[in-house]
Amino acid sequence: MRVITVGKKQEKFVAEGVAEYEKRLRKPFDLDWLVLPDGDMATEEKAILRAVSEKRGRDFVILLDERGENLTSPELAALLAKKVQSQNIVFVIGGSFGVGEAVKARADYIWSLSRLVFPHQLVRLVLVEQVYRAQTIANGQSYHHA
C-alpha cells in the first residue's frame, strides 16, 4: 500500500506515532510513503497523477476527503482485504486546499475520516492507525473492539 501526501515532512510527534504503527504493519498492509512538495493546486494535481498508474485496475486509489463516504473500521478492513489481493492500494491526502477535479475523477473511492477537517499531519497518523486496525480485523486479532 502506498500513501501519496502533499505537504511538509512529518512533525516529530506525527513521525513518532506513524513509526509506532508502521512497526506493527505486516504485508500486505505495510505502507510506503511519497511526500510531494506543496505548490499550487494544479502543480500538486499533476504530481499526484504522475505517481498513480493511469491504468484503472492496477492501482485502487482511495482519496481522503471530508466529503467522501464514512466507513466503519470493519468496513474499511473488508475493503482493503478484498482490494489488496488484486490491486495496489494508493491512499491520497491532498494539499491544504484539497485536490483538483482530475484527482477526484481518478479516485476509485473517496473516503472521509470525518465530516470535520483535520490537519494533514494528523490525517497521516489517523490513516496509519486505521490501516493497522484493518490489518488486525482482517487477521482476527483482538486490537479492535466492536
Side-chain angles (χ1 to χ4, degrees):
M1 293 184 198
R2 174 171 245 198
V3 180
I4 299 171
T5 183
V6 176
K8 305 173 198 149
K9 296 227 181 240
Q10 299 175 133
E11 298 288 337
K12 184 180 178 189
F13 79 95
V14 173
E16 289 171 352
V18 166
E20 179 58 37
Y21 285 106
E22 282 187 321
K23 286 190 300 190
R24 303 175 188 185
L25 293 174
R26 301 290 178 260
K27 286 194 179 300
F29 287 87
D30 56 324
L31 296 174
D32 170 48
W33 294 82
L34 174 61
V35 180
L36 302 171
D38 284 320
D40 60 70
M41 190 180 291
T43 303
E44 292 173 1
E45 182 172 66
K46 287 177 188 171
I48 291 168
L49 292 173
R50 273 194 308 271
V52 174
S53 173
E54 290 180 28
K55 259 181 103 169
R56 281 203 183 263
R58 180 164 183 233
D59 289 342
F60 185 79
V61 178
I62 300 174
L63 172 63
L64 280 87
D65 185 288
E66 73 270 12
R67 291 171 295 275
E69 293 183 46
N70 291 119
L71 293 172
T72 65
S73 294
E75 290 169 339
L76 176 64
L79 174 68
L80 297 182
K82 177 181 176 188
K83 294 299 180 183
V84 79
Q85 300 304 317
S86 60
Q87 294 175 285
N88 300 320
I89 296 176
V90 179
F91 295 98
V92 175
I93 303 169
S96 10
F97 297 102
V99 296
E101 291 304 315
V103 173
K104 290 177 186 173
R106 174 57 187 88
D108 296 294
Y109 191 83
I110 301 177
W111 174 35
S112 172
L113 297 176
S114 168
R115 291 185 352 185
L116 299 171
V117 176
F118 297 113
H120 290 78
Q121 296 275 322
L122 188 54
V123 170
R124 295 175 191 183
L125 180 55
V126 172
L127 172 62
V128 71
E129 189 280 336
Q130 284 300 300
V131 170
Y132 173 68
R133 184 177 296 273
Q135 172 185 276
T136 63
I137 292 169
N139 293 334
Q141 297 169 316
S142 64
Y143 178 78
H144 177 75
H145 303 286

